[in-house]
Amino acid sequence: MSNKSQSASYAAAGVDITAGYEAVELMKTHIARTKTPGVLSGIGGFGGLFGLDLAGIKDPVLVSGTDGVGTKVKLAFMLDRHDTIGIDCVAMCVNDIICCGAKPLFFLDYIACGRNFPEKIAAIVAGVAEGCVQSGSALIGGETAEHPGMMPEDEYDLAGFSVGVVDREKILDATTMKAGDVMIALPSTGVHSNGFSLVRKVFDIENADLTSPREELGGKSLGETLLTPTKIYVKPMLALFDEVKVSAVSHITGGGFYENIPRCLPEGLSVRIKKDDVKVLPIFDLIQSTGNIPERDMYNTFNMGVGMTCVVSREDADRAIEILKESGIDAYLLGEIFEGNEGVELC
C-alpha cells in the first residue's frame, strides 16, 4: 500500500487512513489461514474473487446468509476481549445456510468502529478467520469503516455475509417429513449470540461481577460463560448429509424453540418435546432464576442448550447420532414429529 495516501484534514475529522492500512497488514496472516482452492484474489482489491468448483454438482444453487452479533459485542467491550466475537459473526451466517443443506464457500465481514485501533481490528478479524476455518469458508474480503461521532471511540459493530452452494436435488425438503420421524438436538455452547439485551438487563451487566469464578457455572466466570463463542455446526452437518437423509434443520437463534423450530416443519406436522429431555445448560438456569423469567419466555428467547436441530426417520436416528458424535457433537433425541398444527408442543 502506498505511503503517499494520507490526509491530515481527514485525520482531524476523526478518520485515520494510515491506521486502516496498519490494521489490514496485521490481519493478513489471519486471513491467509482461511484460503481455499477457490480463492482468486487477495485482500485490498475492490471485490473478492472466488472460482466455483462444480465437480459432482449437477445443478448448483447459491445460498446466502447475513447476520451480526447483536449486543453481545458489549461483553467484548467490557472484558476487552475481541478475538472470539468474530467466530460468533461467522457462526450466525453459516449455521443459517447449512439449514438449506448448503456448503459455505466464502465470507465477508463489515466492522464499523468509532476509531480504528489496528490491534483491536486485527483481533476481531482473527476471530472471523477462526470461524471461517471452522466452517471451511474463505475470508475473501471485508470492510472496516471509522464512524467518528456515531459511536464511542472504543466501540464497534460487526456483521457478516456468507455464500454457499448446494446441488438443487440435495436442498433439504421438509415435505418429505412424516409423523413418527424424530428430532435430534445438537447442543449449544451457551447463549450463543441471541437474547443478550435480556441477559444484560437480568444481570445488570454494567455493574455485574464478570470475572470471579461462579460455582453454578462450573467454576467459570459470568463474563467468560457469556462470551463463549457460538458453536459452528457446518462440518458435522455436512458429514451427516453425506450418509443420512435429513428432511429439515433448524438453527435455534433469537425466538428460541417456539419461533425457530416451526420454520422447518411443513403444514400439518408438529413436534412434541419433553422438557425433561432438554439438556439445559447451567447459564440458562441462572438467567431464569436471577431474572425471575417465566419458563415459556425462556424457551421463546434462548436456545436453552440446543443450538441446532435436525429431523430424520426413526430408523436413521441411531446412525445420525453416531455420525454427529464422531464429529464431536454430543447429539441426542429431542422429540417426535406428529400430525397437528401446534408447531412446538413442550410437555
Side-chain angles (χ1 to χ4, degrees):
M1 192 69 68
S2 171
N3 61 10
K4 293 182 179 179
S5 180
Q6 50 187 295
S7 170
S9 298
Y10 211 3
V15 178
D16 188 346
I17 297 173
T18 57
Y21 300 153
E22 183 181 347
V24 169
E25 289 301 314
L26 290 173
M27 67 178 71
K28 281 183 176 179
T29 55
H30 304 299
I31 296 169
R33 295 179 58 218
T34 76
K35 189 173 182 179
T36 64
V39 177
L40 302 178
S41 61
I43 297 298
F46 288 100
L49 303 180
F50 191 91
L52 280 173
D53 179 2
L54 300 179
I57 301 179
K58 299 176 184 177
D59 188 3
V61 175
L62 294 179
V63 182
S64 61
T66 185
D67 209 339
V69 185
T71 62
K72 186 173 183 175
V73 295
K74 292 286 287 187
L75 267 295
F77 304 158
M78 296 177 69
L79 295 169
D80 195 24
R81 176 79 185 273
H82 310 284
D83 60 344
T84 63
I85 204 76
I87 301 175
D88 290 290
C89 187
V90 176
M92 295 304 292
C93 299
V94 298
N95 283 346
D96 276 355
I97 68 174
I98 199 66
C99 293
C100 298
K103 176 184 178 181
L105 297 173
F106 59 83
F107 189 84
L108 293 91
D109 62 356
Y110 178 84
I111 305 169
C113 56
R115 181 179 174 186
N116 189 328
F117 295 100
E119 292 80 7
K120 181 185 290 186
I121 298 300
I124 298 168
V125 174
V128 173
E130 175 59 27
C132 287
V133 169
Q134 290 183 22
S135 62
S137 305
L139 180 55
I140 64 171
E143 174 70 11
T144 302
E146 277 188 290
H147 291 171
M150 292 289 290
M151 60 181 70
E153 285 192 351
D154 59 347
E155 294 190 2
Y156 56 84
D157 197 11
L158 175 65
F161 176 80
S162 180
V163 173
V165 66
V166 61
D167 202 327
R168 188 182 297 270
E169 66 180 19
K170 294 182 179 180
I171 296 173
L172 300 190
D173 182 5
T175 64
T176 63
M177 193 184 303
K178 62 186 185 301
D181 287 350
V182 295
M183 181 167 284
I184 294 173
L186 285 71
S188 70
T189 51
V191 183
H192 281 185
S193 302
N194 300 101
F196 271 85
S197 294
L198 179 54
V199 168
R200 288 166 45 234
K201 179 181 179 182
V202 165
F203 292 118
D204 185 18
I205 209 73
E206 283 76 13
N207 300 304
D209 179 357
L210 297 176
T211 58
S212 297
R214 299 184 66 142
E215 183 178 352
E216 63 266 53
L217 297 178
K220 292 185 177 181
S221 68
L222 180 61
E224 179 185 7
T225 301
L226 293 175
L227 202 59
T228 301
T230 305
K231 180 68 177 178
I232 292 177
Y233 300 100
V234 169
K235 292 180 180 179
M237 291 306 296
L238 289 175
L240 181 62
F241 296 155
D242 281 344
E243 296 195 42
V244 172
K245 172 64 176 176
V246 178
S247 59
V249 176
S250 286
H251 182 199
I252 312 302
T253 56
F257 281 39
Y258 286 110
E259 285 191 22
N260 291 289
I261 291 178
R263 295 167 67 180
C264 85
L265 300 174
E267 185 72 22
L269 291 179
S270 298
V271 62
R272 182 175 292 113
I273 298 172
K274 295 180 181 178
K275 285 179 283 191
D276 288 345
D277 290 340
V278 181
K279 297 181 181 180
V280 178
L281 295 175
I283 182 61
F284 297 109
D285 292 329
L286 183 60
I287 292 170
Q288 183 173 9
S289 61
T290 304
N292 193 28
I293 299 172
E295 182 180 67
R296 181 181 172 85
D297 287 358
M298 291 295 296
Y299 279 93
N300 208 165
T301 305
F302 302 107
N303 68 61
M304 300 301 287
V306 179
M308 184 163 281
T309 65
C310 63
V311 177
V312 301
S313 69
R314 184 170 291 279
E315 294 75 22
D316 288 333
D318 288 344
R319 179 58 182 146
I321 290 173
E322 180 183 10
I323 292 167
L324 291 169
K325 287 189 174 182
E326 289 172 354
S327 298
I329 302 293
D330 192 18
Y332 60 93
L333 283 178
L334 181 66
E336 181 175 354
I337 305 300
F338 68 98
E339 293 183 0
N341 290 308
E342 287 83 355
V344 176
E345 180 184 291
L346 279 170
C347 56

